[in-house]
Amino acid sequence: MPLRPNRPLPLATPAGVEVLTRILTQGPIPRVEIARRTGLSQAAVTKAVAPLIEAGFVTDQPVAVPVDDVGRVELGIGRPVSPLTVVPDSISVIGLKVTPTDLIGVTTDFRAGIRAVRHQQVTDTSAESVIKRLAELAKELIETLDDPADPAGPLIGIGVAVSGDVDALHGVVRDSPFMGWRDVPLAALLSEQLKVPVVVSNDVRALTVAEHWFGVGVDADSFAVVTIGSGVGCGLYINGEVVSGAHGVSGELGHLPLAPGELVCTCGRRGCVETVASSDAILARVRETTGQPDLDLSGAIELAHDGDEHAREAFDRAGEVIGSALAAMVNLVGPELVVIAGEGVADYDLYDQRMRQAFADHAFGAAGDCRLMLRSHTFDDWARGAAATVIRSYVRGEPPLTR
Amino acid sequence: MPLRPNRPLPLATPAGVEVLTRILTQGPIPRVEIARRTGLSQAAVTKAVAPLIEAGFVTDQPVAVPVDDVGRVELGIGRPVSPLTVVPDSISVIGLKVTPTDLIGVTTDFRAGIRAVRHQQVTDTSAESVIKRLAELAKELIETLDDPADPAGPLIGIGVAVSGDVDALHGVVRDSPFMGWRDVPLAALLSEQLKVPVVVSNDVRALTVAEHWFGVGVDADSFAVVTIGSGVGCGLYINGEVVSGAHGVSGELGHLPLAPGELVCTCGRRGCVETVASSDAILARVRETTGQPDLDLSGAIELAHDGDEHAREAFDRAGEVIGSALAAMVNLVGPELVVIAGEGVADYDLYDQRMRQAFADHAFGAAGDCRLMLRSHTFDDWARGAAATVIRSYVRGEPPLTR
């Protein structure tokens, strides 16, 4: 399999990194526009771009992607524009998402475009077993890169997204309540088996990196990604960068103490948002109040859609605390845009009204003017987020993809 | 009085702004060290510095300030270092803080060092009356600049700090519950009277700007300033900049919905932190539970220090919700350092223990590893914060101090 040492990026300076980032996230984009947006001279832009074109990472030839209005400048009739884009298949990346029931894997190109998808079921959530299955899944995905009919670029690295407290710098899952993991050196164990650099991230952080470079972040000055489902999470993009937390923790919206103090969370703390708003918490509540201990989540959703009072109450309660949590978050950081995503969004109608009411009740002044955007969302998007973290580390020359 | 038009900053490029910012906030600092920290060439640094020295804003001559280890580099014996510093008295700034009972004003030099302090009592909190008194206070302070025995630099602008939802871009106080103001165009009204540019800011934001450029921010990669007193506020510094909020609101820690829902806040919302943690809320609680309706705050503090059960309970309740709010904030943004400041800190011992316990109970994983630092703090510091916002606008060429 073609590996990273074959594809070092010819980036000698911070300006080079900045230029490639613009081309990657805002391309197709003319050199003159990169100069304008970065404050660099046109000569400096040209100097940074030349080796990237030479090495095949960037092109100024027309590409199959339609050029839209974003990033275009008026240059007058007849003058050549030659906007720059990255060459999608100049590299390949693998992204993996870990859940207690499934492993989801994708291969992507340089622009985080998904090429192949593979899933595996999890039967044993021990770190040892999951890492073994992750390695198998990665090998399956690596095989897809060799398809002669659709050749992919060399693999530069593998990203893994896990929920919980993740030390991305050292590739260690410090505490993942959903997986029952503590201090698992995931990056070291997996890269040992696969001989490929591995980047481990908190899953919501990874999703936010993908939105920053390849999603809403291209147009919004600040945003939050709130995920609702088996957990409640939040990624933040503020002041030009994804918020990572001084000690690697941030965006733990599911663990704000906004729920009744007598409820104990999977994390062991009391009154966390997830004690009433996670899908497990909603299901447990519906089972309890309806007296149907064998109900599953889709059954609970069906009951609520049919108007069952007890089932509705559980979703109402979840909506109320999610709305309060959203208000707490916007009161603190004041983002321009809040993207609401995650598996739970499919049944969003069940708590939409209560959530919006609680948000309106508690959002302070102009903080409440942020746009709330609903985003339908699959598990493949989580895996793509993991791939995006690898692409970002590669472009920036960050560990473990240092130049 | 000497005004701003006499003192335009000779800064032609973003690099020039970056260089002056380093000298101002990290000086004394040698040119070679500025080059290293900014990534600029030494030639570019020298080019940016020359006109600043020429115009008297910066000097490479020894100054009265002792040169400490911060910013020094080893250059070998006998070689001249010539570290750069700003000339403190090359400009003057006025900072004003508005409260419902007092107006506090300071003059500062370029480095936000306080030169003179004046206070005025407020008897009428209407915007019209307060603006009139602010103008009088500013005139008093302007007179101090003309002291021939201690000549100050020309006045470049006036900063005003007000609590609540402030539109800093347009200089409008949109909603200040403490003052009872809504949509007051404070900057326009005051600069009309004084013929000086006026910068209006949220008070906690202003304090955070001062900490960013002239305080803890010089050494911390991210921090929060939490103020406890008549209100509970929070300023955030993340990803290289003070967080301002897309719509001008952020850091509203006092309005997170963490208190009992039956309590109504001065802002009109239910369950805000301030309903139990503001000094008025604490006093009201002690009056109610002790049956002493005429008690004042110092009386309530005395009762609590004497071990009165009812008084202790009110401070315990405040400490608990403040601790939960701190945990909510660090769970979301994960700062390296939390500075706790404000008038309330003087009686910090009364809620310290409960606050730390609630913080420990709800801080998620490594987010709880942030340092908590206590900072004694006077009203003059608030006014100095307002001055710092003017200095920052001046250096950056932002409205209303555009070049």
Side-chain angles (χ1 to χ4, degrees), chain B residues 120-141:
Chain B
Q120 282 231 4
Q121 281 198 315
V122 171
T123 47
D124 171 359
T125 58
S126 72
E128 198 189 353
S129 168
V130 168
I131 288 166
K132 205 174 148 207
R133 303 299 293 272
L134 280 175
E136 287 166 19
L137 182 59
K139 282 174 188 162
E140 260 188 70
L141 286 162

Side-chain angles (χ1 to χ4, degrees), chain B residues 281-300:
Chain B
I282 294 172
L283 177 57
R285 179 75 170 184
V286 178
R287 282 176 175 169
E288 184 197 327
T289 53
T290 61
Q292 300 184 42
D294 299 326
L295 209 64
D296 63 6
L297 186 62
S298 52

Side-chain angles (χ1 to χ4, degrees), chain A residues 160-186 200-205 244-252 255 267 269 274, chain B residues 330-331 334 363-370:
Chain A
V160 188
V162 185
S163 74
D165 178 355
V166 175
D167 176 353
L169 188 63
H170 300 99
V172 174
V173 179
R174 284 190 293 222
D175 186 11
S176 178
F178 278 127
M179 298 305 296
W181 292 359
R182 269 187 183 269
D183 298 317
V184 175
L186 184 54
V200 181
S201 305
N202 167 277
D203 54 355
V204 185
R205 188 91 37 83
S244 59
H247 300 95
V249 172
S250 68
E252 292 294 347
H255 301 281
C267 75
R269 295 175 189 81
E274 288 187 1
Chain B
V330 305
N331 289 357
F364 186 80
D369 294 346
C370 64

Side-chain angles (χ1 to χ4, degrees), chain A residues 80-103:
Chain A
V81 177
S82 305
L84 299 163
T85 53
V86 297
V87 177
D89 287 328
S90 54
I91 60 163
S92 291
V93 182
I94 288 177
L96 305 171
K97 156 78 172 166
V98 177
T99 82
T101 56
D102 294 273
L103 306 180

